[in-house]
């Protein structure tokens, strides 16, 4: 990377006038992406569960980062998020489906779905589809689904996505979800 990048042309994108919706924005890659998009001029709608972590993120770019608290493991919160964005008349130029979890133990959400599947795969799909259905994604916009090297450990096995509680393996589940993306 370091040797090859010497020959790359300069790259300094300007995201002024764009609105980015970044999930999992309170930490890790999502936080870094949200801050970099804001640094380059984008207005960032930063989505995560923790109001405190989102507030800390917003303090880094208060004029461009807007925190939106939602638990993206829950379908009802995904739907409520999209409904709120629709009421505001938002136009999303970049959707970064970044939120993910790797859980050691089998857990069900309050809606009865396996938590890591709901967070890592199902609700990425629902968020994207709901934004499209309400015409909130800009026609020239981009949808980015953040995968992971964890997918290299497993082939695409659709049936295995229905992992029963007694056979649950968090690392395997995470790899399956990321491969399915």
């Amino acid at each position: 990377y370091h040797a090859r990048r010497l020959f790359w042309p300069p790259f300094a994108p300007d995201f002024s006038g764009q609105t980015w919706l970044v999930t999992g924005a309170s930490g890790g890659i999502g936080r870094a992406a949200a801050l970099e998009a804001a640094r380059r001029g984008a207005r960032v709608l930063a989505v995560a569960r923790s109001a405190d972590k989102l507030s800390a993120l917003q303090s880094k770019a208060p004029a461009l980062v807007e925190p939106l608290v939602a638990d993206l493991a829950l379908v009802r919160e995904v739907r409520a998020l999209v409904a709120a964005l629709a009421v505001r008349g938002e136009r999303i130029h970049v959707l970064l489906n970044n939120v993910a979890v790797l859980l050691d133990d089998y857990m069900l959400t309050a809606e009865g779905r396996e938590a890591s599947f709901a967070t890592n795969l199902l609700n990425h799909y629902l968020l994207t589809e709901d934004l499209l259905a309400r015409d909130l994604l800009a026609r020239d916009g981009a949808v980015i689904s953040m995968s992971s090297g964890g997918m290299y450990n497993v082939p695409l096995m659709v049936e295995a996505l229905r992992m029963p509680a007694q056979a649950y393996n968090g690392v395997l589940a995470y790899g399956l979800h990321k491969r399915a993306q």
Side-chain angles (χ1 to χ4, degrees), residues 8-168:
W8 294 352
F11 183 68
D14 180 1
F15 301 141
S16 298
Q18 292 184 7
T19 298
W20 287 42
L21 177 63
V22 180
T23 67
S26 63
I29 292 171
R31 185 176 196 281
L35 288 173
E36 187 62 18
R39 187 175 81 78
R40 303 243 180 219
R43 178 173 158 258
V44 177
L45 305 175
V47 183
R49 288 178 301 197
S50 171
D52 291 340
K53 289 181 181 179
L54 286 171
S55 180
L57 170 69
Q58 184 185 32
S59 73
K60 301 291 185 189
L64 293 172
V65 174
E66 180 181 342
L68 299 172
V69 177
D71 184 347
L72 297 175
L74 300 172
V75 171
R76 70 174 174 258
E77 293 207 20
V78 170
R79 297 254 156 87
L81 171 66
V82 174
L85 294 172
V87 166
R88 293 166 34 163
E90 293 288 355
R91 175 66 63 199
I92 308 300
H93 298 91
V94 176
L95 168 60
L96 176 55
N97 282 317
N98 170 71
V99 68
V101 295
L102 193 163
L103 302 175
D104 292 329
D105 299 312
Y106 184 89
M107 290 176 31
L108 292 178
T109 67
E111 297 171 331
R113 292 180 177 85
E114 194 276 308
S116 66
F117 173 79
T119 304
N120 298 344
L121 192 59
L122 173 64
N123 290 333
H124 285 217
Y125 175 79
L126 292 177
L127 176 60
T128 304
E129 289 296 307
D130 284 359
L131 289 171
L132 286 167
R134 291 179 180 250
D135 198 30
L136 299 179
L137 287 173
R139 299 236 182 265
D140 60 346
V143 176
I144 303 166
S145 292
M146 185 63 66
S147 192
S148 164
M151 74 174 183
Y152 295 124
N153 297 324
V154 295
L156 179 59
M157 300 183 300
V158 175
E159 287 301 315
L161 291 170
R162 287 187 253 176
M163 193 178 296
Q166 62 275 17
Y168 186 79

